[in-house]
Amino acid sequence: MAGAIIENMSTRKLCIVGGILLVFQVIAFLVGGLIAPSPTTAVPYMSVKCIDVRKNHHKTKWLMPWGPNHCKKLKDFDEAVSRQIEANDIVFAVHVPLPTKEMSPWFQFMLFIMQLDIAFKMDNDLKENAEITLDVSLAYRDDTFSDWEEIAHAIENRKLKCTFGSPKTLESEGRHYDCDFLPFMEIGSVAHKYYLINIRLPVNERKGINVGIGEIKDIRLVGIHQNGGFTKVWFAMKTFLTPSILIIMVWYWRRITLMTRAPVLLEKVIFALGISMTFINIPVEWFSIGFDWTWMLLFGDIRQGIFYAMLLSFWIIFCGEHMMDQSERNRLSGYWKQVGPIAVGSFCLFIFDMCERGVQLKNPFYSIWTTEVGTELAMAFIIVAGICLCLYFLFLCFMVFQVFRNISGKQSSLPAMSKARRLHYEGLIFRFKFLMLITLACAAMTVIFFIVSQVTEGHWKWGDITIQVNSAFFTGIYGMWNLYVFALMFLYAPSHKNYGEDQSNSDLGVNSGEELQLTTTITHVDGPTEVYKLARKEAQE
């Protein structure tokens, strides 16, 4: 009878905790769907063709496309030919943002892609595998009267991938090629109000620079930045979640240190997972509003990488600690085959990110994909990381299968127990399976919402209510993993109650031979952890 009462109380607590977490999960999705705007905004820019006939093209001279000090403009290249203006004297100028607007630090980052309008001409055809050379400069200022200050200058090459849907005849002259977008620039902060981009296409026939690239009519840019409203909601969530995870983490570790035994491997890994989640949550992004921290994108990638590496490691160890032989338990070295691919894959992705965004800290126009060597190197890192990920999931699926098979096999011991004890352990096994299914559900929800956010238009309209799907994806999934870590530390913290031999055997009416141990931790007089109550595995003789 006592066992049934304990089981009912424990199940009731689990239901209450689950209900509270579900409410917070729904709130996390609603915050993004109903309060936050879409995460990003794309703004198209058409470059203005300016005439620069100064000697040697002095680099400190900046050409403005509009405004009181705007440049001398060209309508088209036919005008340049009639006025005998050479290609080296033409500068494509783009002002960011559009007239009457200002950029803001709340935009967090700027990503630009380029599209070239290339017309077909019989005497100036686009060669196969053509490569365009760009002489690009970026400057900023914070008011409309100051001089422009240079941020970066570089000479970059981009491979042209274009198709022409009509026969290349005289009748087709003037029609445009269909060209892929080109990566142009990425900068990790928006610390200034105004930005100016000057693009030159230097021509040198002797060196073969910008020869055989067709007749370029216009250069278009598409600028993508984070919405300020979404940034504020995102910062608010991080500010709220940081103390929440910190408090449960301190409480969790305090419960462990109160035990007379040393922390076991599973408890250490859960604590490390909490630390990595806190590392993501700490809202250092607030400082980016007042400081020009261009490294924030790279820093964010590193934080996410550490968390996901810890999460994948936890799943392996969680399964292993309920499956492996006693001699192999509670030792990190026993998981080197499973954790090894995680370490190798994470290292490859880190090197790839350093080769891309690390270099962009000095040269925002750089892209690893623009050269053959860079492309092969990037693909090599990604392929190795992909192979490691596949190996990891094969290990994980095999271990999950073994865990469920072992539990199912041990359930044959339950009929020999007293009714109260049988009900008690049936509940424990059920809750272990339930926790495993919740883990799979979280992973599945992440994948499903990512796919939905990619294939939908970005928002749904239900009458007068507009739901921002992409924003709901970011806030909902971010909140979900925080709640997942919170629940793990709450459920796996050592219990302050004593479920030792006296209560287990006397109150439940069984002898010591019926003790069913389903965890790798060692029971002491301090009482069992929540792991004991939620995840037991082996029948001890």
Side-chain angles (χ1 to χ4, degrees), residues 265-266 317-323 329-331 335 519-520:
L265 178 60
L266 190 58
I317 294 173
F318 174 77
C319 293
E321 288 297 280
H322 296 87
M323 181 196 69
R329 296 177 184 174
N330 204 29
R331 294 190 301 111
Y335 297 95
T519 182
T520 64

Side-chain angles (χ1 to χ4, degrees), residues 250-452:
V250 171
W251 172 83
Y252 171 79
W253 194 247
R254 181 178 176 276
R255 296 288 285 268
I256 292 176
T257 55
L258 289 176
M259 307 287 285
T260 58
R261 61 172 174 80
V264 296
L265 178 60
L266 190 58
E267 292 169 338
K268 293 177 182 178
V269 172
I270 292 175
F271 185 69
L273 185 62
I275 293 176
S276 65
M277 189 79 256
T278 304
F279 189 41
I280 285 185
N281 287 341
I282 295 176
V284 295
E285 290 85 354
W286 282 110
F287 292 101
S288 66
I289 304 302
F291 298 94
D292 188 10
W293 287 356
T294 56
W295 45 266
M296 284 304 297
L297 288 177
L298 178 62
F299 183 61
D301 289 345
I302 293 174
R303 290 197 295 178
Q304 290 186 40
I306 292 174
F307 171 72
Y308 287 124
M310 281 305 309
L311 182 65
L312 297 179
S313 300
F314 163 74
W315 286 344
I316 283 289
I317 294 173
F318 174 77
C319 293
E321 288 297 280
H322 296 87
M323 181 196 69
M324 297 174 68
D325 295 333
Q326 187 68 42
S327 60
E328 296 292 332
R329 296 177 184 174
N330 204 29
R331 294 190 301 111
L332 184 60
S333 59
Y335 297 95
W336 69 269
K337 292 181 181 179
Q338 295 86 355
V339 178
I342 300 175
V344 174
S346 300
F347 179 75
C348 288
L349 293 178
F350 171 74
I351 297 298
F352 167 73
D353 214 30
M354 290 298 296
C355 292
E356 178 79 1
R357 284 182 168 167
V359 177
Q360 287 175 349
L361 296 179
K362 291 293 184 180
N363 177 14
F365 304 104
Y366 174 80
S367 175
I368 195 173
W369 301 99
T370 57
T371 63
E372 291 185 4
V373 175
T375 300
E376 291 176 359
L377 185 64
M379 288 302 300
F381 283 129
I382 293 174
I383 290 172
V384 171
I387 293 173
C388 292
L389 186 63
C390 292
L391 290 175
Y392 166 82
F393 275 107
L394 287 175
F395 281 126
L396 182 63
C397 292
F398 177 71
M399 294 178 74
V400 169
F401 169 75
Q402 283 193 314
V403 169
F404 278 95
R405 186 183 64 179
N406 289 349
I407 288 180
S408 299
K410 300 307 179 184
Q411 283 179 321
S412 60
S413 303
L414 296 179
M417 297 181 182
S418 61
K419 180 178 180 181
R421 192 169 185 80
R422 185 175 69 252
L423 291 174
H424 178 66
Y425 284 111
E426 284 177 348
L428 299 182
I429 292 174
F430 167 77
R431 277 177 284 175
F432 173 74
K433 293 181 178 180
F434 179 75
L435 185 58
M436 292 292 294
L437 293 175
I438 287 297
T439 300
L440 295 176
C442 288
M445 285 180 63
T446 303
V447 175
I448 290 171
F449 272 91
F450 175 76
I451 295 174
V452 170

Side-chain angles (χ1 to χ4, degrees), residues 7 37 76 90 127 152 185 206 262 340 351 353 385 442 492 508 526:
E7 178 63 27
D76 52 38
I90 298 174
K127 294 182 179 179
M185 181 185 75
R206 182 173 59 85
I351 297 298
D353 214 30
C442 288
Y492 276 75
L508 296 179
D526 303 303

